[in-house]
């Protein structure tokens, strides 16, 4: 498929965002072209942000604009001779329901997606945030997808997961089990006390694969067929979750309050995860692995009190474990949405997934 | 080195325990009177009181509580007592100074007719302290009600800070009955409500002061949009006066929010001298440059530290100990 022709046609005939999804759907089905998507959040003008990108090897150019859609070309040149090493197009779509949520779509090959587009978008951290999808939520999304689309079976083709044996630190795994959904989740989440970083699965209806989907914890979704179905089942909820992240994590820092009051968050666990004090050491070790951060242990036993400075954007936090089922995160003078998310993500990735809630005072 | 680091950690631990005891005890009054009768309770820490019978000196108790503009509590927290009991008398003599009629309460004529004097002692020593007081009762005579209260952490499935009366009767019956046989306050409540308070009117360890200044410099950089990702090679240079450092620390980490409506006798904490000592040390280790000869303005070189920032400064205080010959702020 000639992408330039497609893009030019695509933009000339596209009335609004609703049609975007069905157009992408028909293109993916007729051309059998995989579509990769990155839903992300950004509270400042995205075009200005992209223009601010300063790299001597990566260049971005806006080719077309229509309503909430923009077509960009991203080019990577060799640092020495300035020859083009790779280049590709992506479409940026501003979500109509959520002010600060965008989706980047591309039909380009996975090399462009993984080596150029994804790092390019990520390089705007902390201005740009992704979401995080816990294993339980990932399972819910897939089950809803199965139910709503009369899918008879979900077969996991590739799973990237973290296992965590009791009283031990977590370790990663990669597997191609050809396993049904329930079995895979049961094995990783229930039997091995672990969680999925990403999943690739086939959706089967009447013995026929109707789509293959890749989804990871950051909300990146790739598919090859029936894009609209995948969009509605995965990308829409992911966009909603990014919007919820903004609502839940915004103005948590003390500077946002007139009296400099703290507005903590709690990570709540179903089980008494800190019942055994050995777990304190595992937790502190896990948090200490947070890159680009200073983690100071003020107390480690019997309760935990850590002071965290995030060098990426200058946010700082106090973290407390004062009962066996909860972690309390207290943003200090600066606590950006991106940094709060980064720390909570790190806890979920390296220790255990829990439920994020507002802290409720109890005397 | 490890033992010395441990000692610094213990020092900091004692310091934060004292703050938690202060806020925890004050909180019981605030909470109970608000809950029961919505009575106005004013809290203050380190307030400067004059003494009716000793015009030369003044008192700055750790704890000050004013209830309904009529009665009050003055208190001192002793997180540790020396092993040598002969040295304990000094602590009681300090408390006896509060037995003079104190002038400076946040009421119209600055005097109230009734106030309790409380001594808050860690639970490991509370019984010994009470016995000592009873043995010296003839010399240590208080005109105001005097109460010894023990405090300590209770580490169950949930961690609590617990207060219990060891000796005497508090004048407010609601509070007395609440604390008499033990009043637990969930630590999570305390730390969340008061996590911003990290300084009281006693100097902290030098390394702690350096850590707080570092944190304030990060805040300043982010507030002024000067912050960018820092690493070992990239530093952010921040120009600031020592007075501004004091002001920022005061607003961010002191008890100042307690005194919003009665600031008149409250000292500005941290004291400028404490901050200057820490700045001197930061200059010595190359993280700060003087901007003027008068040593009133500095350039802070904000940089990333490989290990935890608190540990970094604790180690710097230890390794340079001989050069500066001081690790703890003393005045």
């Amino acid at each position: 498929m000639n992408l330039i022709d497609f893009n030019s046609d695509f933009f000339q005939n596209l009335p609004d965002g609703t049609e975007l999804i069905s157009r992408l759907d028909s293109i993916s089905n007729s051309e059998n072209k995989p579509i990769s998507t990155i839903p992300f959040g950004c509270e400042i003008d995205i075009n200005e942000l992209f223009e601010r990108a300063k790299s001597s090897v990566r260049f971005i150019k806006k080719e077309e604009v229509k309503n909430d859609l923009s077509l960009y070309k991203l080019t990577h040149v060799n640092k020495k001779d300035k020859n083009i090493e790779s280049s590709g197009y992506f479409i940026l779509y501003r979500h109509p329901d959520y002010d600060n949520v965008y989706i980047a779509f591309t039909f380009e090959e996975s090399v462009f997606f993984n080596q150029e587009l994804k790092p390019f978008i990520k390089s705007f951290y902390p201005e740009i945030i992704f979401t995080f999808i816990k294993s339980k939520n990932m399972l819910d999304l897939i089950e809803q997808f199965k139910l709503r689309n009369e899918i008879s079976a979900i077969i996991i083709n590739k799973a990237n997961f973290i296992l965590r044996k009791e009283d031990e630190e977590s370790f990663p795994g990669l597997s191609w089990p050809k396993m049904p959904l329930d079995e895979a989740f049961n094995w990783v989440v229930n039997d091995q006390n672990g969680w999925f970083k990403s999943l690739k699965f086939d959706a089967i209806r009447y013995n026929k694969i109707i789509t293959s989907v890749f989804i990871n914890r950051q909300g990146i979704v790739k598919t090859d067929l029936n894009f609209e179905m995948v969009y509605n089942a995965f990308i829409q909820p992911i966009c909603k979750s990014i919007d919820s992240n903004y609502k839940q994590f915004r103005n948590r820092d003390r500077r946002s309050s007139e009296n400099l009051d703290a507005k903590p968050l709690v990570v709540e666990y179903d089980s008494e995860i800190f019942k055994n004090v050995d777990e304190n050491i595992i937790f502190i070790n896990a948090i200490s692995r947070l890159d680009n951060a200073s983690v100071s242990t003020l107390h480690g036993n019997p309760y935990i009190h850590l002071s965290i400075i995030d060098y990426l954007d200058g946010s700082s936090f106090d973290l407390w474990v004062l009962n066996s089922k909860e972690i309390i995160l207290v943003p200090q003078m600066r606590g950006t949405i991106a940094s709060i998310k980064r720390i909570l993500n790190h806890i979920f990735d390296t220790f255990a997934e829990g439920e994020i809630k507002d802290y409720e005072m109890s005397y | 080195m490890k033992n010395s680091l441990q000692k610094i950690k213990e020092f900091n631990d004692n310091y934060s325990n004292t703050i938690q005891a202060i806020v925890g005890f004050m909180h019981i009054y605030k909470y109970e009177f608000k809950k029961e009768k919505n009575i106005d309770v004013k809290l203050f820490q380190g307030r400067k009181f004059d003494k009716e019978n000793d015009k030369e000196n003044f008192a700055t108790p750790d704890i000050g509580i004013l209830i309904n503009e009529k009665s009050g509590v003055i208190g001192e927290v002793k997180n540790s007592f020396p092993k040598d009991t002969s040295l304990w008398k000094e602590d009681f003599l300090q408390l006896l100074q509060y037995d003079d009629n104190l002038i400076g309460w946040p009421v119209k004529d600055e005097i109230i007719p009734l106030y309790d004097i409380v001594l808050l002692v860690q639970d490991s020593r509370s019984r010994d302290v009470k016995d000592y007081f009873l043995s010296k009762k003839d010399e240590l005579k208080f005109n105001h009600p005097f109460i010894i209260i023990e405090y300590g952490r209770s580490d169950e499935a949930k961690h609590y800070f617990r207060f219990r009366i060891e000796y005497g009767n508090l004048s407010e019956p609601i509070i007395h009955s609440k604390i008499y046989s033990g009043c637990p306050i969930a630590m999570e409540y305390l730390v969340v409500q008061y996590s911003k308070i990290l300084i009281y009117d006693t100097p902290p360890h030098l390394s702690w002061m350096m850590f707080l200044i570092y944190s304030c410099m990060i805040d300043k950089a982010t507030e002024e949009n000067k912050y960018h990702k820092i690493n070992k090679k990239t530093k952010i240079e921040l120009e600031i006066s020592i007075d501004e450092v004091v002001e920022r620390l005061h607003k961010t980490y002191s008890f100042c929010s307690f005194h919003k409506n009665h600031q008149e006798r409250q000292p500005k904490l941290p004291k400028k001298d404490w901050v200057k000592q820490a700045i001197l040390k930061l200059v010595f280790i190359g993280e700060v440059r003087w901007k003027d000869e008068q040593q009133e303005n500095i350039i802070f070189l904000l940089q990333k530290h490989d290990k935890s920032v608190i540990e970094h400064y604790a180690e710097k205080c230890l390794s340079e100990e001989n050069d500066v010959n001081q690790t703890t702020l003393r005045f």
Side-chain angles (χ1 to χ4, degrees):
Chain A
M1 177 178 159
N2 184 326
L3 196 65
I4 293 293
D5 289 346
F6 151 69
N7 283 322
S8 133
D9 178 56
F10 188 86
F11 272 86
Q12 276 164 20
N13 299 302
L14 198 67
D16 59 40
T18 319
E19 208 173 312
L20 166 77
I21 306 306
S22 56
R23 285 292 307 278
L24 289 172
D25 184 70
S26 64
I27 289 166
S28 80
N29 289 344
S30 60
E31 304 287 338
N32 199 17
K33 199 82 184 153
I35 303 178
S36 305
T37 66
I38 309 179
F40 62 87
C42 180
E43 287 191 301
I44 55 177
D45 186 311
I46 192 77
N47 295 305
E48 269 182 34
L49 189 67
F50 282 176
E51 277 166 25
R52 257 200 264 155
K54 281 177 193 162
S55 165
S56 54
V57 293
R58 207 180 266 141
F59 300 98
I60 181 132
K61 191 180 170 212
K62 195 192 281 182
E63 301 273 330
E64 304 269 1
V65 185
K66 187 157 191 181
N67 299 330
D68 281 342
L69 297 178
S70 309
L71 175 73
Y72 286 97
K73 185 180 184 184
L74 183 62
T75 306
H76 190 157
V77 299
N78 185 287
K79 198 173 182 178
K80 285 180 183 165
D81 57 23
K82 302 289 176 195
N83 286 333
I84 293 175
E85 288 197 337
S86 73
S87 101
Y89 291 86
F90 71 94
I91 300 154
L92 190 69
Y93 173 47
R94 185 183 187 137
H95 199 287
D97 300 333
Y98 309 117
D99 278 350
N100 304 310
V101 180
Y102 297 83
I103 309 164
F105 300 93
T106 185
F107 289 90
E108 304 285 2
E109 298 299 326
S110 61
V111 177
F112 171 79
F113 180 77
N114 290 325
Q115 293 181 9
E116 303 301 338
L117 183 56
K118 207 163 71 174
F120 173 73
I121 304 273
K122 275 189 174 179
S123 71
F124 294 102
Y125 179 93
E127 277 87 2
I128 276 179
I129 62 161
F130 296 156
T131 191
F132 50 83
I133 307 171
K134 290 183 288 176
S135 294
K136 185 180 165 292
N137 296 351
M138 206 182 270
L139 177 65
D140 287 347
L141 286 176
I142 299 172
E143 279 181 340
Q144 285 296 315
F145 168 68
K146 190 179 164 193
L147 201 68
R148 286 182 184 165
N149 296 289
E150 295 174 339
I151 288 160
S152 48
I154 296 283
I155 300 295
I156 308 289
N157 286 325
K158 190 174 172 182
N160 189 343
F161 51 81
I162 303 283
L163 302 181
R164 182 171 170 271
K165 298 269 168 68
E166 205 174 331
D167 297 338
E168 286 178 21
E169 291 189 4
S170 53
F171 58 94
L174 189 65
S175 172
W176 293 262
K178 290 278 177 199
M179 211 181 247
L181 179 69
D182 295 351
E183 270 183 50
F185 268 86
N186 207 25
W187 185 73
V188 170
V189 180
N190 298 333
D191 295 352
Q192 305 294 323
N193 192 24
W195 53 93
F196 287 101
K197 287 176 83 175
S198 68
L199 277 179
K200 194 176 175 196
F201 62 86
D202 290 337
I204 295 164
R205 188 195 282 159
Y206 309 123
N207 297 323
K208 190 183 165 196
I209 296 174
I210 59 161
T211 188
S212 294
V213 178
F214 167 91
I215 180 168
N216 75 5
R217 278 159 83 80
Q218 292 182 304
I220 288 172
V221 176
K222 299 178 194 175
T223 186
D224 53 359
L225 280 169
N226 287 308
F227 179 76
E228 193 163 6
M229 188 192 286
V230 173
Y231 178 85
N232 290 331
F234 296 101
I235 300 169
Q236 273 284 36
I238 287 167
C239 291
K240 190 179 177 190
S241 127
I242 294 169
D243 185 61
S244 305
N245 288 163
Y246 276 119
K247 285 177 182 149
Q248 193 174 20
F249 302 155
R250 187 179 282 130
N251 296 332
R252 288 275 166 186
D253 53 3
R254 289 177 51 192
R255 215 182 273 156
S256 307
S257 145
E258 200 190 334
N259 295 327
L260 303 179
D261 289 335
K263 279 163 277 178
L265 286 159
V266 173
V267 179
E268 198 177 278
Y269 294 96
D270 291 336
S271 62
E272 291 194 283
I273 198 158
F274 292 103
K275 194 176 181 183
N276 182 348
V277 285
D278 291 346
E279 208 61 40
N280 290 12
I281 299 164
I282 293 171
F283 177 75
I284 291 167
N285 288 342
I287 299 298
S288 301
R289 292 200 298 273
L290 181 68
D291 60 356
N292 283 302
S294 155
V295 179
S296 302
T297 308
L298 301 173
H299 254 288
N301 185 8
Y303 67 90
I304 297 174
H305 178 197
L306 308 178
S307 166
I308 302 170
I309 297 172
D310 184 348
Y311 285 126
L312 290 185
D313 71 0
S315 294
S316 57
F317 304 88
D318 274 2
L319 186 152
W320 300 82
V321 176
L322 296 165
N323 70 55
S324 53
K325 293 174 86 170
E326 281 180 355
I327 295 167
I328 304 172
L329 186 68
V330 190
Q332 289 301 311
M333 293 302 279
R334 177 176 164 98
T336 62
I337 293 168
S339 186
I340 292 172
K341 239 193 86 329
R342 187 166 99 90
I343 288 170
L344 294 174
N345 251 348
H346 183 78
I347 292 171
F348 291 176
D349 276 341
T350 58
F351 183 66
E353 294 180 345
E355 202 66 40
I356 303 166
K357 293 183 173 174
D358 278 347
Y359 176 80
E360 282 176 19
M361 294 284 183
S362 61
Y363 185 38
Chain B
M1 175 81 112
K2 204 177 173 186
N3 278 345
S4 307
L5 275 177
Q6 192 53 38
K7 275 183 188 165
I8 292 178
K9 227 172 173 179
E10 280 166 17
F11 186 99
N12 290 339
D13 205 22
N14 283 341
Y15 195 82
S16 67
N17 261 347
T18 303
I19 291 177
Q20 282 174 5
I22 293 171
V23 295
F25 184 71
M26 286 177 168
H27 179 79
I28 298 171
Y29 278 79
K30 185 93 183 167
Y31 182 84
E32 290 302 320
F33 281 110
K34 195 174 177 185
K35 191 181 74 175
E36 295 292 328
K37 296 173 184 169
N38 216 8
I39 287 175
D40 177 55
V41 173
K42 287 191 175 72
L43 308 174
F44 30 94
Q45 197 288 313
R47 189 178 179 86
K48 196 171 166 180
F49 284 91
D50 294 318
K51 294 193 255 178
E52 195 180 59
N53 300 312
D54 177 6
K55 307 281 184 206
E56 299 293 305
N57 294 303
F58 52 85
T60 54
D62 288 340
I63 291 170
I65 302 168
L66 175 68
I67 305 137
N68 217 14
E69 308 217 329
K70 285 177 187 156
S71 63
V73 180
I74 287 296
E76 204 63 26
V77 180
K78 293 286 169 202
N79 198 57
S80 58
F81 270 85
K83 275 184 188 167
D84 181 359
T85 53
S86 67
L87 301 170
W88 291 11
K89 197 170 178 183
E90 242 175 71
D91 293 306
F92 279 95
L93 290 177
Q94 186 190 354
L95 284 159
L96 273 172
Q97 291 181 28
Y98 303 155
D99 204 34
D100 194 326
N101 284 333
L102 295 181
I103 303 162
W105 293 87
V107 292
K108 203 178 168 190
D109 55 6
E110 295 201 299
I111 296 170
I112 57 167
L114 170 73
Y115 62 86
D116 295 342
I117 298 171
V118 299
L119 170 63
L120 267 69
V121 191
Q122 234 195 8
D123 48 10
S124 58
R125 277 293 166 92
S126 60
R127 192 59 48 92
D128 295 342
V129 170
K130 181 187 87 173
D131 291 345
Y132 174 86
F133 172 70
L134 290 175
S135 71
K136 306 273 178 191
K137 219 176 164 186
D138 292 340
E139 326 168 28
L140 303 169
K141 276 189 178 160
F142 285 88
N143 293 317
H144 288 82
F146 175 66
I147 304 99
I148 299 173
I149 295 172
E150 68 165 26
Y151 68 89
R153 270 202 328 262
S154 151
D155 299 315
E156 296 153 31
K158 212 169 177 178
H159 298 274
Y160 291 93
F161 219 78
R162 195 179 291 277
F163 296 89
R164 192 180 69 84
I165 292 179
E166 184 68 57
Y167 168 83
N169 294 299
L170 288 162
S171 300
E172 294 294 342
I174 299 173
I175 308 295
H176 183 81
S177 61
K178 182 95 190 161
I179 305 182
Y180 180 72
S181 36
C183 172
I185 303 177
M187 264 187 78
E188 60 184 68
Y189 187 84
L190 276 188
V191 302
V192 168
Q193 279 277 63
Y194 305 111
S195 70
K196 56 187 179 185
I197 299 169
L198 298 175
I199 298 170
Y200 73 114
D201 70 334
T202 293
H205 193 273
L206 184 66
S207 61
W208 186 246
M209 201 70 240
M210 291 159 84
F211 165 70
L212 294 182
I213 293 173
Y214 180 88
S215 301
C216 263
M217 290 304 108
I218 290 195
D219 293 338
K220 177 179 164 70
T222 56
E223 203 178 307
E224 294 172 358
N225 288 324
K226 289 177 184 161
Y227 191 88
H228 53 76
K229 183 184 162 187
I230 48 175
N231 54 40
K232 276 191 111 175
K233 285 179 189 165
T234 58
K235 294 175 187 174
I236 301 169
E237 293 199 0
L238 297 164
E239 283 187 30
I240 189 167
S241 67
I242 293 183
D243 287 335
E244 191 190 332
V245 177
V246 173
E247 189 61 34
R248 280 181 173 272
L249 291 165
H250 176 69
K251 274 190 184 160
T252 315
Y253 299 119
S254 78
F255 275 83
C256 68
S257 64
F258 281 44
H259 315 134
K260 222 162 69 179
N261 300 318
H262 45 276
Q263 293 177 30
E264 61 290 341
R265 284 175 172 262
Q266 291 302 143
K268 177 157 274 186
L269 295 171
K271 289 184 178 164
K272 190 172 177 179
D273 286 348
W274 309 353
V275 174
K276 208 154 185 180
Q277 283 246 1
I279 297 277
L280 278 169
K281 187 80 183 178
L282 287 163
V283 170
F284 188 80
I285 64 172
E287 293 185 24
V288 163
R289 287 200 307 262
W290 290 114
K291 193 156 184 294
D292 54 6
E293 279 180 18
Q294 297 74 31
Q295 302 195 337
E296 284 297 326
N297 295 286
I298 59 166
I299 297 170
F300 195 97
L301 308 167
L302 192 58
Q303 58 195 295
K304 180 181 173 182
H305 297 302
D306 278 343
K307 51 189 75 181
S308 95
V309 177
I310 292 172
E311 212 173 293
H312 165 79
Y313 287 123
E315 282 185 7
K316 286 290 175 193
C317 284
L318 290 175
S319 62
E320 315 288 347
E321 194 168 4
N322 295 333
D323 301 301
V324 173
N325 197 29
Q326 184 171 332
T327 55
T328 307
L329 294 165
R330 291 190 195 96
F331 298 91

